[in-house]
Every structure is written in C-alpha cells, then in structure tokens.
Amino acid sequence: MKISEIIQYLESIAPTELQEPYDNSGLITGEIQVECTSVLVSLDCTAEVVLEAVKKKCNLIVSHHPLIFHPIRQITSENATGKTLIAAIKSDITIYAIHTNLDNILSGVNAVIADKLELENRKLLLLKPGMESTGSGLIGELGSPITEYELLNRLKAKFGLSVIRHSPLTGKHVRRIAVCGGAGSFLISNALQQNVDFFISSDLKYHEFFEAEGRMVIADIGHFESEQFTIDLLCQVILGKFPNFAVLKSGTLTNPVNYYI
C-alpha cells in the first residue's frame, strides 16, 4: 500500500479544505507514491518522534499539529523545526498533518473529549457559514446534572490532570457542556449565547476568564491534555479502513509544558 492511499482516506474523513486559513494541514514533507512500511501517529512531530519512527521502521508520521506552522526562511539544525525536517528527510520519512480540519468535524477531536465526559445530544458549537456539518467546538449534555466540583474531579480523573485553571464557580449544577480541544477562547461568546453551564478548552488568557460573567464556568485543562486522545482517534480511523496494517501510537511525550505541584 502506498502512502498516498492512507492520505487519500484521511482526507476523505477530514478534507484539507475544512482547515482554518491560518493552518498548514496536509503533506509537510516526503514522498507519497512509495510503499508505506507502517504509520506512527503522534500529537506533535519532533526530532524525538522522527527518531522513534526510524527505530520502529515507520516511514509515515501522521501528526495532529503541523511541524511547519509559520513560514520559514531556513532549514538548519539550529532550530527545532529545521532539526526535525532534516532528520525526516535523511531517513526518508514522510510527515503528514491533520489539524483544524480534524477539529472542524463532528466526529473529530472534540468528539473524543465528549466521549470521555459521556456527553449526549451533541452538536457543533459554531457552524461554518453555509455548512451544516462543519464548525468549531462541540456542545453536549450529561445524562443527569452534577455539581461543578464533580465535573472538575471528573476532568482530573479522565484527562490525568494535576491542575485545572478555571473561572469562579457559579454554584449551579452542570448539564450543558461545551468543549474545544486546543485553543478555544474565540468560542466563549458562542458558549454563552447557547446557555452552556461549563466551557472546557485551553490556552486561555487572564482577561478571558472574566468573559464567563458568572453565567458559566470556563475551565482551561491544558492544550496537550485536551488533545492527548487524538492519537487514539487517528489510529482508530486508519485501522478502520486498513485493519491488517501496522499503525503505531507514538510513545514519545511531546508536551512542552510542565507543572511544579
């Protein structure tokens, strides 16, 4: 099987046309009209992930975050992006990213978060203009209301969190929840408009917590933490189409953020 066949299938699930204008999903580097030995799935693509691919004899890395996100002028070993690209090219490893196009489908990144929280009656939080099944974030409901503390404890348990940043608690029970894996502060107003009790995302700035206005709770669980199960999702997607093919989950921890507790 050629690498191009795997990419074509991924793009049938989450077309690159659905990515945000600032994004760089798709083929990052490498050949696609070659036989695929096996696939390594990761959240990020770093030099350590490339080394892992070499050791595991994988010539395709499928990552959620694009290795090249902003324009680059040089490819040298003096920076992390250049170092990773050089390692991949030298080892004949193809790198493919499936980022906001995977975020923007109902069965994508946010569906995995909703699965962990057992949310029902799901729908997209912000639809793209003129599209019924494409958009940002996700809204769902719990089977029965729980307290805000119960939800915070559930988040810690399900996502392996040591800390959660959140706005002041309202004292109300929680049933209607909105989620957005990765940076989702741009959806706060949409969550308020749809009477959400709890909004879960990451990369929130200090002043953005004020936007909860005491009407809902905003919780920042961390960027990596919110998207960590995307690796499982991508493995399931690829294996669903190619069940007899070697698809491996990266064992390299790429989270650059650490907490001193």
Side-chain angles (χ1 to χ4, degrees):
M1 179 167 50
K2 292 184 177 180
I3 289 176
S4 60
E5 295 178 62
I6 298 171
I7 290 176
Q8 286 170 7
Y9 180 66
L10 288 173
E11 293 184 352
S12 73
I13 302 296
T16 53
E17 292 80 10
L18 299 184
Q19 68 181 302
E20 298 298 325
Y22 60 80
D23 200 9
N24 190 35
S25 294
L27 181 66
I28 302 298
T29 186
E31 300 284 343
I32 63 172
Q33 298 302 333
V34 296
E35 181 181 348
C36 186
T37 56
S38 54
V39 183
L40 184 67
V41 179
S42 65
L43 188 64
D44 307 282
C45 188
T46 64
E48 291 76 17
V49 172
V50 172
L51 179 60
E52 181 184 4
V54 172
K55 289 181 178 179
K56 294 180 176 178
K57 303 187 185 320
C58 301
N59 66 344
L60 171 62
I61 295 173
V62 175
S63 68
H64 181 49
H65 296 138
L67 171 59
I68 301 175
F69 202 75
H70 302 290
I72 56 175
R73 294 179 181 273
Q74 296 175 317
I75 300 176
T76 73
S77 59
E78 299 302 312
N79 60 74
T81 300
K83 183 178 179 180
T84 305
L85 281 169
I86 291 170
I89 293 169
K90 281 185 174 181
S91 300
D92 292 323
I93 292 176
T94 297
I95 301 174
Y96 182 84
I98 181 166
H99 190 213
T100 54
N101 48 326
L102 188 63
D103 291 333
N104 286 338
I105 60 175
L106 189 58
S107 59
V109 173
N110 295 311
V112 184
I113 301 174
D115 287 344
K116 295 294 179 182
L117 297 175
E118 300 179 3
L119 299 185
E120 305 170 349
N121 304 320
R122 303 175 189 179
K123 66 176 185 177
L124 293 168
L125 177 56
L126 175 62
L127 288 172
K128 281 187 173 294
M131 296 185 180
E132 294 183 0
S133 58
T134 305
S136 304
L138 180 150
I139 292 180
E141 296 177 346
L142 295 171
S144 58
I146 61 175
T147 68
E148 293 166 330
Y149 285 110
E150 286 175 316
L151 180 55
L152 288 170
N153 285 326
R154 184 176 297 184
L155 284 169
K156 290 186 72 174
K158 296 287 187 178
F159 293 83
L161 309 176
S162 57
V163 62
I164 300 175
R165 299 167 65 226
H166 63 83
S167 63
L169 302 182
T170 67
K172 300 183 298 184
H173 276 71
V174 178
R175 183 162 194 174
R176 192 169 173 82
I177 297 173
V179 302
C180 179
S185 61
F186 67 101
L187 292 171
I188 292 175
S189 61
N190 301 95
L192 284 171
Q193 290 169 12
Q194 300 197 45
N195 298 315
V196 164
D197 301 314
F198 219 98
F199 177 57
I200 301 163
S201 191
S202 70
D203 293 353
L204 295 164
K205 297 179 180 179
Y206 173 83
H207 292 285
E208 290 168 339
F209 285 95
F210 286 108
E211 296 178 29
E213 299 177 352
R215 295 164 54 193
M216 70 177 182
V217 177
I218 298 174
D220 184 332
I221 65 173
H223 197 123
F224 174 90
E225 291 80 1
S226 71
E227 297 183 325
Q228 61 185 298
F229 302 112
T230 304
I231 295 176
D232 299 322
L233 171 63
L234 286 170
C235 285
Q236 291 170 8
V237 167
I238 299 172
L239 286 171
K241 177 67 173 179
F242 309 105
N244 299 317
F245 192 69
V247 181
L248 309 177
K249 298 178 185 178
S250 173
T252 302
L253 179 62
T254 59
N255 188 3
V257 180
N258 292 272
Y259 301 97
Y260 181 71
I261 305 299

